[in-house]
Amino acid sequence: MVVRTVDLRSDTVTKPTEAMRNAMANAEVDDDVLGYDPTAQRLEAEMAKITGKEAGLFVPSGTMGNLISVLTHCQIRGSEIILGDYSHIHIYENGGISTLGGVHPRTVKNNEDGTMDLDLIEAAIRDPSFEICYPTTRLICLENSQAHSGGRCLSAEYTDKVGELAKKYGLKLHIDGARIFNASVALGVPVHRLVQAADSVSVCLSKGLGAPVGSVVVGSKSFIARAKILRKTLGGGMRQIGVLCAAAFTALQENLVKLEGDHRKAKILAAELNKIKGLKVDVATVETNIVYCDILKGSRISETELVKTLEQYGLLILPEGPLRVRFVLHHQISESDVHYAVSCLQRALAGVAEENGDK
């Protein structure tokens, strides 16, 4: 019988705090499709200020935020965007840019640190003189932090260089900032500086910050005006959304200061997992709240078997490909939970060894 549950599947699994629930219950609201919800306006203005952009737009999800941003930049069907082969937009967003926008993705290899080589980005830009055959490159997309690379952070200097490259060729730059606050805290660099070179950013409020729902897209006033129309087209126009925005605003106030602790606990977890026979973690690559753990082949257990075994102890994690699992820390995980998670892994691997007659 499970007596304790530690949920490390994602930082999206957090429950609204009492303060968030109170804020939702008491939120001042109006019709946001008509542009009158005061709580939504306050949140959008705050996010624009934090990111150093002119305006913001609340959207139901990060996927919609990225989709709206791409389609706003690429209003002509057959446009092409350059993005990482491990990027969230490319892998985990249902191919929406192609399905709904007729936008063609051109991938560039993501390095282990989440970057793409500048020369490879430049080489991927189509020659406009051969537009009789080529799609037209219009946008470059970055992700910060880069989830599939283990929550690695892109520096402001690197992003600036990509921005300069975009300007050189008359392209726009979008940043998927689902965990931009994690990157900011880890690097010790303000969010507005990290996204200074970007024409648009999608910032998730329901990951590290722990809000129950929502993202905010930021950019110029003209960009947001066009994005708002697309939000309505995609079914994302909602009425009294101040109820949701109030929780997000509270999350911003409550949990931003907790991210550093999440990162510290992730590093503790990584170091302890790396001590367990049969597991391997590249501890030096753990920069934020995501830990990837490899299962060594001699361990005689697959990632799916390990996940199922850990469920019996109340530890919830996700498989991340062959012989790899993922742990994601968040503000509702204590240091005690981290040590419990380690003990669960120790028992699971010891049980496998015992079954196979190993000592």
Side-chain angles (χ1 to χ4, degrees):
M1 179 180 175
V2 174
V3 295
R4 181 175 186 175
T5 299
V6 175
D7 195 341
L8 298 176
R9 291 173 297 168
S10 178
D11 46 8
T12 60
V13 301
T14 56
K15 307 300 189 291
T17 63
E18 192 64 31
M20 290 182 204
R21 294 177 188 272
N22 288 335
M24 294 172 76
N26 296 293
E28 186 181 0
V29 298
D30 204 326
D31 192 320
D32 186 64
V33 173
L34 299 181
Y36 292 109
D37 192 294
T39 307
Q41 291 173 355
R42 187 162 65 106
L43 176 65
E44 290 165 348
E46 180 66 16
M47 292 302 295
K49 179 181 177 182
I50 289 171
T51 56
K53 305 303 179 187
E54 292 180 354
L57 181 70
F58 183 85
V59 295
S61 69
T63 293
M64 182 178 283
N66 285 327
L67 179 60
I68 286 172
S69 298
V70 171
L71 300 194
T72 301
H73 288 305
C74 301
Q75 298 185 48
I76 301 174
R77 293 181 68 84
S79 297
E80 186 169 76
I81 69 169
I82 296 170
L83 72 174
D85 63 342
Y86 268 15
S87 66
H88 196 278
I89 293 175
H90 184 59
I91 299 176
Y92 296 113
E93 298 184 8
N94 301 110
I97 60 171
S98 301
T99 304
L100 300 175
V103 175
H104 186 256
R106 190 171 201 196
T107 59
V108 171
K109 180 179 172 55
N110 277 118
N111 298 316
E112 290 186 3
D113 64 359
T115 62
M116 298 177 282
D117 289 346
L118 294 172
D119 58 341
L120 294 181
I121 296 175
E122 187 165 21
I125 299 171
R126 302 290 187 177
D127 181 353
S129 68
F130 202 50
E131 65 180 358
I132 188 69
C133 291
Y134 290 157
T136 300
T137 308
R138 299 188 190 277
L139 179 67
I140 301 171
C141 295
L142 298 177
E143 182 181 334
N144 198 12
S145 64
Q146 222 288 344
H148 210 286
S149 296
R152 305 291 294 274
C153 305
L154 306 185
S155 69
E157 293 74 20
Y158 171 78
T159 305
D160 287 347
K161 290 176 182 177
V162 177
E164 290 166 6
L165 188 60
K167 283 186 173 64
K168 177 181 176 181
Y169 289 93
L171 310 179
K172 299 297 184 181
L173 173 62
H174 172 69
I175 294 179
D176 175 0
R179 294 183 176 89
I180 192 68
F181 286 105
N182 291 90
S184 172
V185 169
L187 294 170
V189 177
V191 171
H192 69 82
R193 179 64 189 89
L194 290 179
V195 301
Q196 182 175 298
D199 297 283
S200 62
V201 188
S202 177
V203 182
C204 191
L205 301 163
S206 61
K207 290 189 170 69
L209 293 180
V213 63
S215 290
V216 174
V217 175
V218 295
S220 67
K221 289 180 180 178
S222 61
F223 174 86
I224 293 300
R226 296 194 304 273
K228 189 169 186 179
I229 296 170
L230 264 173
R231 183 184 68 174
K232 186 70 166 66
T233 304
L234 295 170
M238 298 177 287
R239 303 297 177 176
Q240 287 72 35
I241 62 166
V243 173
L244 300 178
C245 293
F249 205 95
T250 302
L252 192 62
Q253 295 172 315
E254 277 190 340
N255 296 333
L256 186 57
V257 296
K258 299 177 183 178
L259 294 180
E260 186 174 359
D262 295 343
H263 299 173
R264 179 180 59 81
K265 284 176 277 191
K267 289 178 172 64
I268 293 172
L269 177 63
E272 292 302 312
L273 291 178
N274 201 41
K275 296 176 184 177
I276 299 175
K277 183 179 180 181
L279 301 180
K280 181 173 177 56
V281 177
D282 188 347
V283 178
T285 66
V286 179
E287 297 178 355
T288 54
N289 65 323
I290 299 174
V291 178
Y292 282 134
C293 179
D294 292 316
I295 305 166
L296 301 181
K297 289 183 179 179
S299 300
R300 301 182 187 179
I301 188 170
S302 71
E303 70 283 354
T304 53
E305 291 168 337
L306 180 59
V307 169
K308 288 181 180 178
T309 299
L310 294 173
E311 282 180 8
Q312 298 171 20
Y313 301 126
L315 177 60
L316 307 179
I317 63 172
L318 288 178
E320 191 66 30
L323 295 180
R324 173 170 272 208
V325 291
R326 186 185 82 163
F327 305 77
V328 184
L329 280 291
H330 51 79
H331 75 96
Q332 291 176 338
I333 294 296
S334 66
E335 193 163 327
S336 171
D337 290 330
V338 170
H339 292 299
Y340 179 73
V342 172
S343 71
C344 291
L345 267 297
Q346 290 170 334
R347 282 187 282 170
L349 271 295
V352 172
E354 190 174 306
E355 286 176 10
N356 288 282
D358 299 331
K359 294 182 179 181

